[in-house]
Amino acid sequence: MRIEPTTPYHSVQDALRVLDTVARHPAGVTDTVLARRTALGPARLTALLRMLRREGYVTQVTGGAYVTGDALRRLTSAHGRERALRDRLQHTLDRLRDAVGAAVYLSRYVDGEVSVTQYAAGPATPAVNEWVDFRSSAHATAVGKSLLTQLDHNGRRDHLSRHRMARLTSHTITSDKLLLSRLESQPPTVPVLDLQEYAVGTVCAAVPVTAGSSVGCLALSLPVREAHRLRQAVRTLNRGAAPVLLSMAL
């Protein structure tokens, strides 16, 4: 199954430029001035402002000028930032779950281990059954493989040396040589797939969301009977990656 490349990073870079300009104008700044200061085209700027308003990072005041929003002030505050970030990410994941029509997961590589830090699921979009600890099954999951692709060669070999590549299904790769080869050739902007490699009956996809030195990814899971939705679901997931990256970058 061919999945198109993803490029959420340019959106985040442009959004940060817009937010920086808005923050420099406490009394408010018009879209005309924003366009001039950021050198963004009208269509691009309009789309970014729509996203920033939806996320609560900017708000429009009387006269149409833009000022910083409550969500941005909470995330950039010295007090309660971690709680504000977690709440903001959960809000974004919940909305993304509904847009994708699938369970979604935010994962990070922390202290040499795979960690699913937050997720959003529901009765109609159940989370994958973690029948084998995600920390020891990175070789078989979209989450794990996405995180491993963001490490260097030595980091990948170190991880695999600490976790035996068990065969979880008939589709699981158990050869470290084959897996390392595939990870090396994985384009960084192309989503990583798990087509029943971790669990029979489940397909997954993951896109990287790396901010600074933090290695992370955003993923979704679908029942295999809905595999025909995977391509469109990944497109929606990719669009939702920009707000997640932006929250992590602030």
Side-chain angles (χ1 to χ4, degrees), residues 77-229:
S77 170
H79 303 289
R81 183 186 183 281
E82 288 303 315
R83 175 61 183 271
L85 176 59
R86 186 172 184 85
D87 290 347
R88 170 52 41 187
L89 289 172
Q90 191 61 51
H91 175 76
T92 302
L93 292 176
D94 289 345
R95 190 174 61 238
L96 189 55
R97 171 202 60 206
D98 296 338
V100 174
V104 294
Y105 314 79
L106 180 62
S107 305
R108 296 182 183 178
Y109 197 72
V110 181
D111 297 328
E113 300 294 349
V114 173
S115 175
V116 177
T117 54
Q118 289 178 250
Y119 71 95
T125 54
V128 65
N129 175 34
E130 189 180 354
W131 74 284
V132 176
D133 195 318
F134 289 142
R135 290 175 298 180
S136 59
S137 55
H139 65 291
T141 65
V143 162
K145 288 185 289 182
S146 179
L147 295 174
L148 290 178
T149 60
Q150 298 174 61
L151 305 180
D152 60 21
H153 181 75
N154 290 336
R156 295 167 189 158
R157 291 198 66 88
D158 172 71
H159 183 91
L160 296 179
S161 72
R162 292 183 285 107
H163 297 284
R164 185 176 67 87
M165 294 175 59
R167 184 175 298 280
L168 307 182
T169 76
S170 61
H171 302 280
T172 307
I173 297 174
T174 56
S175 163
D176 59 350
K177 183 178 180 180
L178 177 57
L179 180 64
L180 287 169
S181 174
R182 291 195 178 180
L183 294 176
E184 292 282 357
S185 61
Q186 172 75 26
T189 61
V190 174
V192 178
L193 302 181
D194 155 18
L195 303 179
Q196 302 190 86
E197 297 169 54
Y198 174 76
V200 173
T202 301
V203 295
C204 305
V207 297
V209 286
T210 302
S213 60
S214 172
V215 172
C217 71
L218 189 62
L220 64 84
S221 64
L222 284 170
V224 70
R225 65 179 179 275
E226 297 181 32
H228 62 280
R229 295 205 298 115

Side-chain angles (χ1 to χ4, degrees), residues 63-79:
Y66 292 90
V67 297
T68 55
D70 289 340
L72 180 63
R73 287 191 288 271
R74 285 195 294 269
L75 281 182
T76 55
S77 170
H79 303 289

